[in-house]
Amino acid sequence: MRKTNLVLVLAVSLSVLFAACEKTDDLTIKSVEGTYVGKLSTDIGLKSTIGIDDATTEVKETGNGQIEVHCFGGELDTTFMLNYFNNNDSVMVCLEGDAFESMYGHMMTGTGSMMSGSGGMMSGSGGMMGNGQTDWMNHMATNHEANDLHFGGFDMINNTFDYIIEGGDINYHFFGKRIEN
């Protein structure tokens, strides 16, 4: 009888352990760094696409919650810097430095993201801050007005990057999936 109870307790414990290992509610973002391969569309206004090319975007973390983005394909070959912020199962990006000031008319309070840990990313459940806000929510509340535009980000579940590169009269829209290096 005692041996049966021990086996039963052991079986239940192992079941709980395996179930806990499969739980994905507590997503921890590891890295946005990598190579993304996809399409680059060239837009000249509302919903007017004039071309679609194969494109590649290389993303490198530079520290302090910033990334360097090198996008090339078709007629475009550009490199720019962005700040990144955890937002549950995605990572949102925002302009930095002079580009931020030019777009929004003021300087950003603080530098980069307000996150701690490896690569500037918040550790723990989805990058939640103590008050239930994500790093992105905090950035929006601290640095932006309700109508401020943003141009993309990373879907960490599907390993994709989606971003609009403003180029005056022509905008470029990159959408790609990270490849394994």
Side-chain angles (χ1 to χ4, degrees), residues 83-133:
N83 291 312
Y84 64 96
F85 303 87
N86 198 347
N87 191 35
N88 295 316
D89 60 358
S90 62
V91 173
M92 305 302 291
V93 294
C94 186
L95 300 170
E96 64 93 37
D98 292 339
F100 180 94
E101 189 173 350
S102 177
M103 172 62 82
Y104 303 114
H106 62 88
M107 293 178 67
M108 183 168 34
T109 59
T111 58
S113 62
M114 305 294 184
M115 299 174 274
S116 61
S118 166
M121 298 303 289
M122 205 56 190
S123 60
S125 177
M128 297 297 282
M129 301 181 82
N131 58 3
Q133 283 191 323

Side-chain angles (χ1 to χ4, degrees), residues 124-142:
S125 177
M128 297 297 282
M129 301 181 82
N131 58 3
Q133 283 191 323
T134 64
D135 300 317
W136 178 248
M137 291 175 191
N138 182 57
H139 168 73
M140 292 298 291
T142 304

Side-chain angles (χ1 to χ4, degrees), residues 25-122:
D25 290 344
D26 295 333
L27 180 66
T28 300
I29 305 298
K30 290 186 173 68
S31 177
V32 296
E33 192 169 62
T35 301
Y36 296 78
V37 174
K39 298 290 182 185
L40 183 69
S41 61
T42 308
D43 303 315
I44 56 167
L46 297 174
K47 300 180 183 179
S48 297
T49 301
I50 60 171
I52 298 177
D53 294 301
D54 292 331
T56 301
T57 296
E58 297 169 341
V59 177
K60 294 180 185 170
E61 293 182 37
T62 61
N64 247 3
Q66 294 180 333
I67 55 174
E68 177 184 272
V69 179
H70 178 210
C71 183
F72 53 96
E75 296 178 12
L76 182 73
D77 188 347
T78 187
T79 301
F80 52 95
M81 302 294 290
L82 296 171
N83 291 312
Y84 64 96
F85 303 87
N86 198 347
N87 191 35
N88 295 316
D89 60 358
S90 62
V91 173
M92 305 302 291
V93 294
C94 186
L95 300 170
E96 64 93 37
D98 292 339
F100 180 94
E101 189 173 350
S102 177
M103 172 62 82
Y104 303 114
H106 62 88
M107 293 178 67
M108 183 168 34
T109 59
T111 58
S113 62
M114 305 294 184
M115 299 174 274
S116 61
S118 166
M121 298 303 289
M122 205 56 190

